[in-house]
Amino acid sequence: MLNDPIVASVREVREELAGKFNYDVHAIFADMRQRESQAGERLVKRASTKLPKQAAPANSGIITEGGRATTEGR
């Protein structure tokens, strides 16, 4: 397998970070959350990926029950 320098760099940083926190995932994420709170507006906020609910067309044969789409008689 070829040696990808980007993958190697990411793995090196991951290993350094894990070692810094003695491989404690809770400590790693606590540090990440603390650094995120200090970053302020430098972080990019993702837009919501939820799609709005739409009613099925009347002739589609799809009946929605509690947010779940089902087909009748199929």
Side-chain angles (χ1 to χ4, degrees):
M1 180 174 221
L2 295 176
N3 220 3
D4 186 329
I6 295 172
V7 173
S9 176
V10 168
R11 288 177 177 163
E12 182 180 330
V13 170
R14 179 187 64 194
E15 187 64 29
E16 288 174 13
L17 183 64
K20 177 180 177 182
F21 293 98
N22 199 29
Y23 298 88
D24 180 357
V25 71
H26 297 289
I28 293 168
F29 276 90
D31 177 65
M32 180 185 71
R33 284 189 292 273
Q34 188 262 337
R35 287 187 290 135
E36 282 180 346
S37 69
Q38 292 178 347
E41 294 192 19
R42 294 184 311 167
L43 297 178
V44 175
K45 305 283 187 213
R46 279 184 56 178
S48 174
T49 58
K50 290 185 178 182
L51 299 175
K53 287 187 178 182
Q54 296 179 355
N59 62 353
S60 70
I62 297 175
I63 300 171
T64 58
E65 296 175 3
R68 265 179 71 189
T70 60
T71 56
E72 197 172 296
R74 293 186 185 174

